[in-house]
Amino acid sequence: MADVLSPPPALRLRVQDTVREADGVLGLLLADPWGAPLPAWEPGAHLEVSLPSGRIRHYSLSGDPGDLSTYRLGVLRDQGGRGGSEEIHTSIPAGSLLDVRGPVNRFPLVPAERYAFIAGGIGITPLLPMVREAAARGAAWSLLYGGRTLTSMAYRDELAALGGGNLVLAPEDTHGRLDIDSLLRGLPDTAAVYCCGPAGLIAAVESRCAALFPARPPHVERFTAAPDTALGSASGPDEGGFEVELRRSGAVLHVPPGRSLLDVVREAVPSVPSSCEQGICGTCETKVLAGAPDHRDSVLSEAEKAAGNTMMICVGRSRGGARLVLDL
């Protein structure tokens, strides 16, 4: 796993071009302003993008890892979101400069002889480089890709060039909901299953894989929080709240029930970085010096959660209500 506590230095990149990839999906091509090669990356990687408004957003790299002249991002316009995608679609023309960090990869492509990919909507962005890599390795693969309509589904031509009979495009307006059993049924239990898309799709894939391949859970990347990240839900409610000590600043703060640890920490450290505030991006990962975190994120592995060395303070709590000591 990439060390988010010591992230790569920021890069200032120029928006070389913007491209309409599909209905509601804008592609950004980012390049070094002086033409230098960009840092290498592998399928599944993403960039942390600082927008002119100060918002921080994470976007998967959807281009070719073999071409380090540009990075390609695909951004779905979500008019009901928190403003990041709307800003990109309306306020960042070609020629703009953006500060980015990364690439960081928390969704790597593991070695396997067979892959099953399931994409919903903009969830195709991290999976496209994986499909390309699987094809290059000579591995058997299949992709089930759904969206609202065919014209809303990005990168169809690129996938068709790779896919042949391995690719199934299933727009909801003509095909209904994705038939994930048609893809999973008959797979060997050694196959690697990858899914990225809406929360409902990921939950359905996890449920079916638990029944079919209980020893091999699917590899997933979320764009929204998992159902168990709400305050008070992971290990029971912390009815009296808990204390957090910020070792570097010396502050000791009370975190009441129903209020996030991140929100309270900001009272003493306003500059603490955050982005998703749902436990899915890793921006707010913080070193734990003492105490037992109650992890509610979808970023850390089970082994990392058990170690308790870091936590995502946007959703994490204190196990048992004891004091947490953070390196802040």
Side-chain angles (χ1 to χ4, degrees):
M1 186 192 75
D3 184 359
V4 175
L5 297 179
S6 300
L11 303 171
R12 177 156 290 183
L13 303 182
R14 185 180 302 279
V15 179
Q16 179 174 292
D17 198 6
T18 61
V19 181
R20 181 180 176 275
E21 303 286 10
D23 292 348
V25 179
L26 183 69
L28 297 184
L29 288 179
L30 307 179
D32 182 89
W34 296 275
L38 299 173
W41 60 282
E42 296 181 347
H46 69 266
L47 291 182
E48 179 184 283
V49 181
S50 297
L51 301 177
S53 64
R55 298 181 178 97
I56 298 174
R57 295 293 182 265
H58 294 245
Y59 296 109
S60 297
L61 289 163
S62 61
D64 180 358
D67 178 7
L68 297 181
S69 64
T70 59
Y71 289 150
R72 183 175 70 173
L73 310 178
V75 181
L76 174 67
R77 187 173 190 175
D78 182 2
Q79 293 176 315
R82 296 181 296 128
S85 67
E86 186 72 8
E87 181 176 357
I88 286 178
H89 276 253
T90 61
S91 305
I92 301 183
S96 302
L97 294 175
L98 293 175
D99 290 331
V100 308
R101 288 188 182 275
V104 172
N105 198 346
R106 294 186 179 274
F107 191 42
L109 186 66
V110 301
E113 293 183 359
R114 183 175 179 84
Y115 297 93
F117 300 105
I118 304 170
I122 198 62
I124 191 62
T125 51
L127 298 187
L128 173 57
M130 293 186 182
V131 171
R132 187 182 290 114
E133 176 66 18
R137 291 179 186 177
W141 64 271
S142 52
L143 169 65
L144 179 61
Y145 177 20
R148 297 187 312 278
T149 64
L150 188 64
T151 57
S152 73
M153 297 164 64
Y155 312 128
R156 300 188 309 275
D157 291 343
E158 290 181 47
L159 289 165
L162 293 170
N166 300 328
L167 169 67
V168 176
L169 299 179
E172 187 174 1
D173 63 339
T174 58
H175 288 69
R177 292 185 179 275
L178 288 180
D179 182 5
I180 57 176
D181 272 4
S182 67
L183 183 70
L184 299 178
R185 193 183 303 116
L187 282 177
D189 60 9
T190 56
V193 178
Y194 279 78
C195 179
C196 186
L201 174 62
I202 290 177
V205 170
E206 289 179 325
S207 175
R208 292 304 295 139
C209 285
L212 295 169
F213 324 112
R216 289 179 67 88
H219 305 267
V220 303
E221 184 165 69
R222 304 178 189 277
F223 294 143
T224 58
D228 61 355
T229 58
L231 297 182
S233 64
S235 298
D238 41 17
E239 295 179 356
F242 60 95
E243 286 187 340
V244 58
E245 177 185 337
L246 309 184
R247 179 61 54 84
R248 280 188 258 166
S249 66
V252 176
L253 308 171
H254 178 69
V255 183
R259 193 175 179 203
S260 75
L261 174 55
L262 172 64
D263 191 29
V264 172
V265 166
R266 282 185 177 135
E267 295 177 356
V269 188
S271 61
V272 63
S274 68
S275 176
C276 73
E277 301 190 12
Q278 300 180 79
I280 58 175
C281 75
T283 299
C284 69
E285 185 173 3
T286 302
K287 187 174 182 180
V288 178
L289 301 177
D294 183 358
H295 299 284
R296 306 183 183 193
D297 63 88
S298 301
V299 178
L300 298 176
S301 68
E302 292 306 312
E304 290 165 333
K305 289 178 180 179
N309 296 323
T310 70
M311 67 184 297
M312 306 302 151
I313 62 173
C314 63
V315 294
R317 312 291 285 174
S318 171
R319 190 171 298 278
R323 178 183 286 194
L324 286 175
V325 181
L326 303 180
D327 186 21
L328 288 171

